[in-house]
């Protein structure tokens, strides 16, 4: 077994140890995780894998590729949390191996290990592989689609120093194919990101046609072939409804803060700086001059910086601000992190005061939060004044949560990693630099896993546990489960809602006052109590942590 293959196997095993355990240890979170899992469950119930449904109605917000992966996992493991998150754990294993292989091709094995280590050893990039959202696969396909064009360009122009054994068109066609898979994973923004990156690269390189019109059309054709394999079939079978509604939805996300997801202009800058600790701190240095031996290495850095800014500026312009919108930046950011540390190891860059300050400042936020939270949980009265204007949030704090002092362990792990890592990096010696990188990346990876084990169940207990337990209690009942004036996909997934035949099931007036054919269970928030208590057909059957539970019985 050659060295790269051995490391690839070891990386996959380590990734599996971090990503595969505990996937089903806590319920899925409203909205996205439960929304996507429910789509996949309904594919199975309806035995319809070509159309996307929610509440057994056609759903226009997402294309189906990720749901095919989730449905396959549900066939394998059964419908539940583990299956819903399993595809992203596999994506994490594939991503880390690919980053290692690409990094080893660009530089050497050490660089590949640094790139994979930076990805698994940073907070949000690691966390996303433990989730049930679309973006890890979506981002991977965009990155590989762009990489196909880069390798085509290098092969075409015969860049010196890198061995590319395949025909140049194989890189172009395979990149277009994978980008097409990205389009049926989340939408045409995948193609937009790649095209904007190509355009900016063309401008920066003084209008040099690194890819001519014929080559670009060939790349786009392969993207369209894969895209039309589903979009075309959907349109042929059901007309342009999905395309029209999907484009309206994406325009709404771009032009308005959809579903209340507003944010300040620097939202994604802050998310990346804090959320991608410690990679974000090291990556900042690589935006400056970094002497590199080969032209292809300098060129790849240029591509990564352009990709980073294209994604960051694009989603800064977009009015809806959601954390994972800028997650495509994780690929270029962790590459720049690896480059900084690699050049520190080579003695070309020194670990300096502002790096030290950034690592301590951002790392301290995590340490303080994870160490202080158990003590605040035990003294919840100290928190109440900060949410007293929100009755629902105030009631959430009444949840019976056992805040064990063992919960401070993740914060202590990260504190040890920061102190140890900085101690090694301060010496500015090659081997000490690598020890410092290992301390940061391994320590942060363990910190994220330990934090999930210690806190995610408790956070779920405060935020949604009461409602989800109520939904679960309705499994197997031939009844309607609805929410009053708030949105939750949990009401479909956790009762395992059947495909009700009655079209009136979506009419709230009928459910409240009409001649119903089944019992109706209603979940409301405490902020709606004055309204729901006046609905004479509903009988309150419970109240817990800000949620109100009602029942309307069918007349015998």
């Amino acid at each position: 077994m050659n060295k790269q293959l051995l490391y690839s196997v070891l990386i996959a095993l380590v990734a599996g140890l971090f990503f595969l355990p505990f996937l089903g240890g806590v319920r899925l979170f409203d909205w996205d995780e439960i929304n996507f899992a429910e789509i996949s469950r309904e594919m199975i119930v309806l035995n319809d894998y070509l159309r996307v449904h929610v509440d057994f109605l056609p759903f226009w917000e997402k294309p189906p590729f990720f749901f095919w992966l989730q449905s396959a996992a549900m066939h394998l493991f059964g419908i539940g949390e583990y299956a819903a998150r399993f595809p992203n754990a596999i994506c994490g294993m594939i991503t880390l191996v690919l980053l290692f292989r690409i990094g080893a091709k660009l530089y050497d094995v050490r660089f590949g290990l640094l790139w994979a280590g930076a990805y698994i050893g940073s907070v949000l990039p690691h966390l996303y592989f433990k989730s049930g959202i679309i973006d890890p696969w979506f981002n991977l396909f965009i990155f590989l689609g762009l990489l196909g064009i880069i390798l085509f360009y290098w092969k075409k122009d015969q860049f010196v120093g890198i061995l590319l054994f395949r025909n140049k068109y194989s890189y172009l066609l395979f990149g277009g194919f994978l980008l097409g898979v990205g389009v049926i994973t989340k939408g045409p923004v995948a193609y937009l990101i790649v095209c904007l990156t190509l355009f900016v690269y063309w401008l920066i390189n003084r209008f040099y046609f690194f890819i001519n019109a014929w080559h670009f059309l060939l790349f786009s054709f392969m993207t369209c072939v894969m895209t039309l394999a589903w979009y075309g079939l959907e349109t042929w079978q059901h007309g342009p409804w999905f395309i029209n509604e999907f484009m309206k939805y994406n325009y709404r996300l771009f032009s308005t803060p959809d579903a209340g997801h507003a944010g300040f202009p620097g939202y994604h800058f802050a998310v990346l700086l804090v959320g991608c600790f410690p990679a974000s701190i090291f990556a900042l240095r690589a935006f400056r001059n970094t002497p590199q031996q080969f032209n292809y290495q300098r060129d790849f850095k240029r591509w990564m910086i352009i990709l980073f800014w294209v994604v960051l500026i694009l989603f800064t312009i977009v009015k809806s601000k959601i954390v994972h919108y800028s997650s495509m930046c994780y690929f270029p950011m962790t590459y720049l992190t690896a480059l900084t540390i690699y050049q520190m190891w080579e003695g070309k860059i020194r670990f300096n005061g502002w790096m030290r300050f950034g690592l301590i400042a951002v790392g301290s936020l995590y340490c303080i939060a994870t160490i202080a939270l158990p003590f605040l949980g035990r003294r919840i009265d100290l928190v109440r004044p900060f949410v007293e204007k929100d009755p629902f949030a105030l009631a959430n704090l009444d949840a019976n949560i056992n805040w064990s002092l063992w919960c401070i362990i993740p914060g202590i792990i990260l504190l040890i990693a920061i102190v140890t890592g900085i101690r090694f990096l301060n010496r500015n010696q090659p081997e000490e630099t690598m020890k410092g990188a290992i301390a940061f990346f391994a320590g942060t990876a363990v910190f994220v896993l330990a934090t999930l084990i210690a806190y995610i169940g408790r956070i779920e207990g405060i935020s949604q546990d009461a409602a989800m337990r109520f939904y679960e209690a309705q499994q197997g009942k031939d009844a309607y489960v609805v929410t009053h004036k708030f949105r939750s996909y949990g009401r479909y997934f956790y009762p395992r809602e059947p495909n009700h035949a009655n079209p009136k099931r979506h009419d709230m007036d009928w459910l409240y006052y009409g001649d119903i054919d089944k019992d109706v269970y209603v979940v409301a928030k405490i902020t709606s109590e004055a309204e729901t208590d006046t609905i004479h057909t509903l009988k309150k059957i419970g109240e817990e942590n800000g949620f109100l539970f009602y029942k309307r019985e069918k007349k015998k």
Side-chain angles (χ1 to χ4, degrees), residues 27 67 90 137 201 245-246 421:
R27 293 186 191 91
F67 312 126
I90 298 301
W137 281 101
Y201 183 89
E245 295 301 320
F246 182 69

Side-chain angles (χ1 to χ4, degrees), residues 158-403:
Q158 298 180 341
F159 274 57
V160 175
I162 186 166
L163 296 176
L164 300 174
F165 297 104
R166 299 183 183 279
N167 179 277
K168 63 182 179 182
Y169 289 106
S170 65
Y171 296 114
L172 191 69
L173 295 174
F174 195 56
F177 170 79
L178 290 175
L179 186 61
V181 179
V183 174
I184 64 169
T185 300
K186 198 174 182 181
V189 71
Y191 185 72
L192 175 64
I193 288 171
V194 170
C195 288
L196 287 174
T197 304
L198 298 178
F199 178 71
V200 174
Y201 183 89
W202 178 68
L203 291 178
I204 289 176
N205 284 272
R206 302 177 182 180
F207 313 111
Y208 171 66
F209 284 94
F210 59 95
I211 179 171
N212 63 33
W214 158 246
H215 295 144
F216 179 73
L217 288 174
L218 185 60
F219 176 82
S220 299
F221 172 77
M222 278 303 296
T223 301
C224 289
V225 165
M226 192 58 206
T227 300
L228 290 175
W230 181 77
Y231 283 96
L233 183 61
E234 161 67 24
T235 303
W236 177 68
Q237 287 186 330
H238 305 106
W241 174 85
F242 178 88
I243 297 292
N244 291 337
E245 295 301 320
F246 182 69
M247 297 309 293
K248 289 177 186 177
Y249 167 72
N250 279 271
Y251 175 76
R252 188 168 71 249
L253 288 178
F254 186 88
S255 59
T256 61
D258 187 66
H261 292 298
F264 61 99
Y267 175 86
H268 287 295
F269 290 86
V271 165
L272 292 172
L273 179 65
V274 178
C276 293
F277 172 87
S280 56
I281 306 302
F282 291 109
L284 288 171
R285 173 59 182 83
F287 283 94
R288 295 165 52 194
N289 182 49
T290 52
Q292 291 155 282
Q293 181 180 0
F294 294 104
N295 187 38
Y296 73 86
Q297 294 171 340
R298 294 187 290 272
D299 191 61
F300 193 80
K301 177 188 172 183
R302 188 179 301 118
W303 279 109
M304 291 298 97
I305 290 177
I306 292 170
L307 176 62
F308 176 87
W309 285 114
V310 163
V311 173
L312 186 54
I313 292 172
L314 175 65
F315 289 107
T316 296
I317 294 171
V318 170
K319 297 296 184 182
S320 296
K321 307 296 184 187
I322 301 177
V323 171
H324 49 259
Y325 278 9
S326 57
S327 59
M328 183 62 227
C329 288
Y330 302 167
F331 281 94
M333 177 178 285
T334 51
Y335 162 79
L336 295 171
T337 297
L339 181 59
T340 296
I341 297 173
Y342 187 80
Q343 296 212 329
M344 288 167 60
W345 172 75
E346 290 185 318
K348 297 177 181 178
I349 293 177
R350 291 184 62 82
F351 183 70
N352 55 32
W354 68 260
M355 283 190 199
R356 186 183 307 109
F357 172 78
L359 291 168
I360 293 173
V362 178
S364 295
L365 296 177
Y366 286 104
C367 292
I368 292 170
T370 49
I371 291 174
L373 197 55
F375 295 99
L376 288 175
R378 287 169 165 242
R379 298 290 304 278
I380 204 69
D381 289 340
L382 297 177
V383 181
R384 295 184 189 280
F386 294 97
V387 296
E388 60 184 4
K389 294 183 179 179
D390 185 343
F392 178 68
L394 199 61
N396 286 166
L397 297 179
D398 292 332
N400 184 21
I401 305 297
N402 176 26
W403 288 101

Side-chain angles (χ1 to χ4, degrees), residues 16-155:
L17 287 174
F18 275 99
F19 299 147
L20 290 173
F22 311 115
L23 290 177
V26 67
R27 293 186 191 91
L28 302 170
F29 281 85
D30 257 343
W31 292 348
D32 285 353
E33 277 200 313
I34 303 183
N35 179 10
F36 302 154
E38 174 60 16
I39 290 170
S40 303
R41 184 187 75 87
E42 292 186 19
M43 280 186 170
I44 295 172
V45 172
L46 294 171
N47 195 29
D48 182 356
Y49 297 91
L50 290 180
R51 293 208 86 181
V52 176
H53 296 82
V54 168
D55 194 18
F56 301 97
L57 295 173
F59 186 68
W60 62 84
E61 293 185 11
K62 298 292 183 293
F65 181 81
F66 181 73
F67 312 126
W68 294 339
L69 299 178
Q70 280 192 322
S71 297
M74 288 179 182
H75 279 294
L76 184 62
F77 299 110
I79 294 170
E81 293 85 0
Y82 193 93
R85 294 175 176 136
F86 180 77
N88 281 345
I90 298 301
C91 181
M93 297 167 68
I94 293 171
T95 297
L96 294 184
V97 171
L98 285 174
L99 293 184
F100 165 73
R101 304 286 292 197
I102 296 167
K105 172 71 78 173
L106 292 171
Y107 292 88
D108 54 29
V109 166
R110 188 185 301 270
F111 188 94
L113 291 171
L114 284 172
W115 195 355
Y119 212 103
I120 193 174
S122 296
V123 176
L124 283 180
H126 182 127
L127 182 62
Y128 274 28
F129 294 133
K130 302 280 286 185
S131 74
I133 64 174
I134 294 174
D135 297 80
W137 281 101
F138 182 60
N139 295 334
L140 179 61
F141 290 134
I142 295 173
F143 177 73
L144 293 178
L146 179 62
L147 182 66
I149 290 182
I150 295 171
L151 296 179
F152 163 80
Y153 166 42
W154 290 355
K155 182 73 173 184

